[in-house]
Each structure stands twice: as C-alpha cells, then as structure tokens.
C-alpha cells in the first residue's frame, strides 16, 4: 500500500513538538527516534529525520512528500512548496539588529552598511523591498557576535525572547518576517498521497483546535441564563441541564483559550458558580 513520507527535524527546537503533534494525532512510531527513518504503526506513514535546512529540498525533490519545518527556512530556501498549515509552535521573527548605542533613524541607517546573516535570500529581499543598498555578509552561525568583533554593522537573525540580542549588546530595530513551524508539501503529490495527507492534516487540526479550547461547566441561577449563554456560545450552543436545586441549572460549553480570563470574569459577574474548566483531548467540528 502507498505510504506517505513526512520529514521532520532530527534534533533541535522543532523535534519535540513535531513528535508530540504526531503522537497526539494518534501516530505511534515503531522504532523510536534517533534513526534516519521511522515507521508509523497505525497510519500508512514513514517519518524521515533530517536537518531542518535540508527538509524543503527533500520535499521539492519528492524524497519526502511533506514535512514540518520553520517557515523562515522554507522562505529562505525558495522552493515552490505547498504551505498546508501553520502549526503554532517555534514562533520567532527574523529581525534586523544593530549595536545598542547606535541611533536608528530608520531603514536608511542600513544604506552602505555591512549586514551579517544566515538568511541571505531573506535579507536581500528585505533590502530590495526597502530600497536599501547594503552589503550582505553570509555566515553560518553565531551571527549575533558579528558586530561586536567588527565583522558587520548590523545583523539579520532569529529572535524569540530577545535575550540573545541584549546579551550581545544589540537592539532589535525592524522585523523582516515572522515565522512558526509549518506543514509544507510537494506540489505534485499523486492522488492517493494527497488523500493521506488530507487525513493527517484533519488530525493535526483537531489536535490544534483542542489545544486552543477548553471545556467549561458552571452552575447558574435560571434568570441569568440568557446573559450567560451570550458570553459562552460554544460550538453550536451550550448544553443546559437543570440542577436538583430548584431555580438553578448547569451550563456546559467550549471556551477559546485566548478569551479565557475575560470570559471567566464576566461569568462571575453574571452570578455563575462552581466553574470547572477541563482540557479537551480532540475537537472535531
Ligand atoms: O540541526 P538543524 O540544522 O536541524 O537545526 P538548527 O540548529 O538549524 O535549528 P534550531 O533547532 O535551532 O531551530 C529550528 C527552528 O526553530 C528555526 O528555523 C526557527 O524556525 C525556530 N526557532 C524558534 C528558533 C528560535 N525560536 C530561536 N530562538 N531558532 C533559533 N533560535 C535561536 C536564534 O538563532 C538565536 O541565536 O535562538 C537565539 C535567539 O533566541 P532569543 O530567545 O534569545 O531571542
Ligand atoms: Zn538548521
């Protein structure tokens, strides 16, 4: 039977979350990680473990059908791949940073300067878009030390918390791109593989939805129910069941993580009591 081949990072910042996403999607790997290839037990799927930089090329060549990799790497490599889904982890940005004591009047600062980066293509595109003429100096690692040792006037590098910049005496002055882990696929998959990939994507989405939502149960006096229902509309509409105590009901609904604390405050003001919030394992809507 035709199998799907998915490439993931062998080790590094994407590895744990990629494995977790597969596991939560019901995919168990037979011979564990640390190998070049692992076979899924209950889905027609092989996992290839690669360096993240190689993943776009392997997908483009058809060695892998799809893969999980940082969008920054996908953009830098420039292959024409199908971006299937943003996966919500390994979030970061590729930013321009300069020595913290330099004034920064705007992108003009970069004119005629030397900028170090491991992302020359993204940097060239950024400079072109801004109409800046600068020297692109490609280095493969430790970009953040380049200004300090006199190798460059500025850098374009990955920033997440910003602490690496601070500890190297740099300040972030502009963002070239935002990035997160993405599922990308070859553009010319045969139909059977496309169907398998859609199945996998359906599972990924159910897992992601469940992570972004909570199940909420609460007790409320009946006369407050219309207002409470407005605050927690749920997937279709909340379930309401009478309590043994007269005049009270139990309300069950689904609540999105990013509005969580606001909604809880409103519910308390509306007279809700005994609020329970429970994680959801999978969510299919
Ligand atoms: O060995 P392999 O080539 O597979 O891995 P790698 O060393 O090239 O990549 P890895 O594992 O470090 O990162 C993989 C992907 O994670 C990147 O391509 C990004 O998409 C994403 N990501 C998210 C990050 C960061 N956050 C991050 N903070 N990648 C790198 N960093 C580094 C950055 O280079 C800088 O040195 O962390 C430092 C900045 O962090 P802050 O928190 O101090 O700002
Ligand atoms: Zn890499």
């Amino acid at each position: 039977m035709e199998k799907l081949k998915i490439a993931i990072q062998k080790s590094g910042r994407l590895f744990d979350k990629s494995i977790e996403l597969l596991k939560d999607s019901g995919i168990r790997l037979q011979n564990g990680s640390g190998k070049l290839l692992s076979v899924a037990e209950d889905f027609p799927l092989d996992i290839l473990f690669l360096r993240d930089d190689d993943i776009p090329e392997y997908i483009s060549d058809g060695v892998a059908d799809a893969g999980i990799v940082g969008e920054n790497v996908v953009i830098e490599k420039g292959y024409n791949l199908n971006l299937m889904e943003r996966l919500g982890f390994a979030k970061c940005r590729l930013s321009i940073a300069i020595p913290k004591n330099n004034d920064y009047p705007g992108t003009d600062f970069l004119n005629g300067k030397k900028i170090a980066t491991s992302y020359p293509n993204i940097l060239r595109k950024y400079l072109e878009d801004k109409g800046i003429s600068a020297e692109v100096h490609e280095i493969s690692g430790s970009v953040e030390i380049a200004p300090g040792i006199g190798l460059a006037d500025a850098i374009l590098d990955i920033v997440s918390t910003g602490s690496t910049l601070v500890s190297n005496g740099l300040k972030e002055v502009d963002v070239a791109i935002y990035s997160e882990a993405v599922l990308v696929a070859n553009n010319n998959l045969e139909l059977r593989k496309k169907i398998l990939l859609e199945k996998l994507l359906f599972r990924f989405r159910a897992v992601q939805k469940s992570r972004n939502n909570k199940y909420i149960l609460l007790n409320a006096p009946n006369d407050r129910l219309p207002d409470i229902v407005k605050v927690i509309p749920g997937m279709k509409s909340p379930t309401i069941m009478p309590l043994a105590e007269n005049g009270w009901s139990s309300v069950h609904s689904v609540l999105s993580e990013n509005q969580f604390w606001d909604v809880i405050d409103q519910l308390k003001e509306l007279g809700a009591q005994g609020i329970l919030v429970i994680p959801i394992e999978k969510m299919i809507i």
Side-chain angles (χ1 to χ4, degrees), residues 9 11-14 50-53 70-73 90-92 119 144 157-165 179:
Q9 194 189 25
S11 67
R13 289 168 197 265
L14 303 170
L50 300 171
R51 282 201 59 195
D52 67 346
D53 315 71
E71 199 175 354
N72 51 317
V73 174
K91 287 190 176 175
C92 58
Y119 294 86
E144 65 280 358
D157 200 12
I158 297 179
V159 180
S160 158
T161 61
S163 66
T164 302
L165 293 184
S179 174

